[in-house]
Amino acid sequence: MAAHYPASRYPSPALAWSAALTDRSLACTTLRAAREITTTAPGVPLYGYEFEDPHAPVPTGLPSLPDLPYGAAHGFELAYLFSAVPTEQPLTDAQNTLSDRMIDYWASFARTGDPNTPGAPRWPALRTTGPVLSLAPRPGAIRTGDAYGGHRCAFWDGVPE
């Protein structure tokens, strides 16, 4: 595992370990489940995304961890979709712009079964290994990305459960 997550590539060994745990426990297992769905129910509309705001507002009540920043932790995107989610600080202008785009995508999917909206970057349907839509609050950052490769899922798929 150290070859795939060398501590020298991360600001701290804790963040290297966090990346490995995120990939193994969340990203790759989610993509594996998506692969099963697309294989067994190919007609079901399925879209994947990766929330990528390393400065996302922290939900109110979580402890401050200076040596292990939360970054784009699982569930932090909810504040971008629902204004009632309390956070330690408000969204910035760039985060509000991303929030508006995300709400448009989610509303379109709820309305039509397809998240794509005119004028927005295209969100492709999920296939067996991706791609997914990467969502970040900077110009040009809403784009398709290779979550399977980016999270080293080929490696994790070969590791026994």
Side-chain angles (χ1 to χ4, degrees):
M1 186 174 78
H4 294 279
Y5 299 89
S8 62
R9 283 197 209 151
Y10 296 87
S12 72
L15 289 174
W17 181 243
S18 175
L21 286 177
T22 295
D23 291 354
R24 171 66 168 172
S25 303
L26 189 61
C28 296
T29 55
T30 299
L31 289 169
R32 188 176 309 118
R35 203 166 45 238
E36 291 293 321
I37 293 168
T38 60
T39 301
T40 58
V44 172
L46 189 63
Y47 297 87
Y49 71 94
E50 183 161 25
F51 181 67
E52 294 190 47
D53 183 358
H55 306 291
V58 175
T60 301
L62 290 180
S64 175
L65 303 170
D67 295 332
L68 189 62
Y70 287 107
H74 178 65
F76 279 27
E77 75 274 22
L78 294 178
Y80 291 66
L81 296 167
F82 305 103
S83 61
V85 173
T87 58
E88 296 291 332
Q89 69 271 356
L91 297 178
T92 66
D93 288 344
Q95 290 168 332
N96 273 312
T97 299
L98 175 61
S99 171
D100 290 344
R101 178 65 72 203
M102 289 171 63
I103 290 168
D104 288 346
Y105 280 129
W106 267 250
S108 179
F109 183 77
R111 197 172 42 254
T112 68
D114 183 340
N116 290 293
T117 60
R122 179 139 183 82
W123 188 340
L126 191 61
R127 300 293 177 239
T128 57
T129 59
V132 300
L133 192 68
S134 295
L135 300 164
R138 53 190 184 278
I142 298 176
R143 57 181 168 49
T144 57
D146 175 18
Y148 187 84
H151 290 285
R152 300 164 188 88
C153 295
F155 165 71
W156 288 113
D157 284 351
V159 174
E161 299 255 346

